[in-house]
Amino acid sequence: DSRAVLGRRVSQNGPNNQVVAERLSTDHNVAVEEVRKEVVALHPDDSHIVVYNHGVWRIKGIIQVSRSIGDMYLKKPEFIQQFGLPIPLKRPVMTAEPSILSRKLKPQDLFLIFASDGLWEQLSDQVACEIVLKSPRVGIARRLVRAAVQEAAKKREMRYDDIKRIEKGVRRHFHDDITVIVIYLDHPLSSSNGRFKEDDFIDCTSAPVDIFSLNADEADD
């Protein structure tokens, strides 16, 4: 249930200070109706493949994601007893097969945000893209994480510093884990012979040495 979001200009010659968020992926989560239908269609002989319990849809009443790299006990029936789950499995109920989208890059495409659901539960696609557009590149992933944690604190009527002081295990009750990668798409101007010169690139930046930028929080302050 991670997500890929593209930030792009409104048009090729549009203003540099405006960005539009374009979602490139579908969350692999049975909370999404289309995903539920997909899972049900794959298991026509199992009327309880997706269960609605306490306001949440889950596969076999256990997990929300429909695809994952791990969760072997839901892919190999012989493992399920090791987890003490009294749910008989005739065949795997999850898969690690990815969904793949191919899309040609366009001149107005600016950057990509890859992030786990911990970010998207707090920030909309558009808000995340606006933060990336308006912020320095150095430490940008960290800034997105900070913005999400600030939003989680706001929902609980807490200060950012207060929620940061909560132990990690306990903090899971306040917000999900958050992983973020930002990739900038710098477009070269093609010459007539199809070759590129060093000065043909627009707005290009080498990866900063301090790409993890431990001082990114201070820069925001």
Side-chain angles (χ1 to χ4, degrees):
D1 53 354
S2 296
R3 184 182 301 169
V5 174
L6 173 75
R8 59 177 174 80
R9 290 192 184 93
V10 179
S11 62
Q12 184 170 344
N13 299 317
N16 292 331
N17 62 345
Q18 293 182 14
V19 66
V20 174
E22 179 183 333
R23 190 177 301 185
L24 300 181
S25 62
T26 299
D27 298 351
H28 296 157
N29 190 313
V30 289
V32 180
E33 185 178 4
E34 292 181 5
V35 177
R36 281 202 305 279
K37 290 180 178 179
E38 176 187 86
V39 172
V40 171
L42 291 171
H43 301 84
D45 58 340
D46 189 346
S47 59
H48 295 92
I49 183 63
V50 183
V51 179
Y52 187 74
N53 192 14
H54 299 296
V56 179
W57 288 99
R58 297 182 187 274
I59 292 178
K60 303 303 286 186
I62 299 172
I63 194 168
Q64 286 188 281
V65 293
S66 61
R67 307 186 194 199
S68 75
I69 296 174
D71 303 301
M72 183 60 67
Y73 67 104
L74 294 175
K75 298 172 182 173
K76 297 285 187 179
E78 60 268 28
F79 284 115
I80 197 164
Q81 294 302 325
Q82 296 180 18
F83 285 79
L85 300 173
I87 302 173
L89 293 182
K90 297 179 181 178
R91 63 176 183 273
V93 295
M94 290 186 67
T95 178
E97 182 180 353
S99 59
I100 299 172
L101 171 73
S102 297
R103 180 190 182 283
K104 289 186 177 181
L105 292 179
K106 302 174 183 177
Q108 59 266 37
D109 296 340
L110 300 175
F111 53 80
L112 285 163
I113 304 173
F114 295 93
S116 64
D117 58 332
L119 182 81
W120 308 116
E121 287 174 358
Q122 308 298 337
L123 303 178
S124 68
D125 298 2
Q126 184 64 32
V127 167
C129 284
E130 289 173 359
I131 291 173
V132 173
L133 180 71
K134 297 174 183 178
S135 302
R137 295 190 178 196
V138 177
I140 186 56
R142 189 179 179 90
R143 284 186 174 85
L144 285 173
V145 173
R146 179 187 174 98
V149 175
Q150 284 178 322
E151 189 62 28
K154 182 180 177 181
K155 291 177 181 176
R156 296 297 188 104
E157 298 183 347
M158 299 173 64
R159 295 181 303 174
Y160 173 80
D161 291 339
D162 293 334
I163 203 169
K164 287 284 286 184
R165 281 194 287 266
I166 299 174
E167 294 182 10
K168 291 183 179 180
V170 179
R171 239 168 84 184
R172 187 63 180 263
H173 298 291
F174 293 81
H175 66 81
D176 205 349
D177 55 283
I178 306 172
T179 301
V180 181
I181 298 173
V182 179
I183 298 177
Y184 290 93
L185 306 172
D186 294 319
H187 301 280
L189 292 175
S190 177
S191 60
S192 58
N193 61 6
R195 297 181 179 179
F196 304 120
K197 297 180 181 179
E198 187 173 347
D199 57 356
D200 282 338
F201 290 81
I202 303 174
D203 297 331
C204 284
T205 303
S206 299
V209 176
D210 58 338
I211 195 166
F212 296 109
S213 189
L214 298 179
N215 297 320
D217 284 353
E218 296 176 9
D220 284 345
D221 295 336

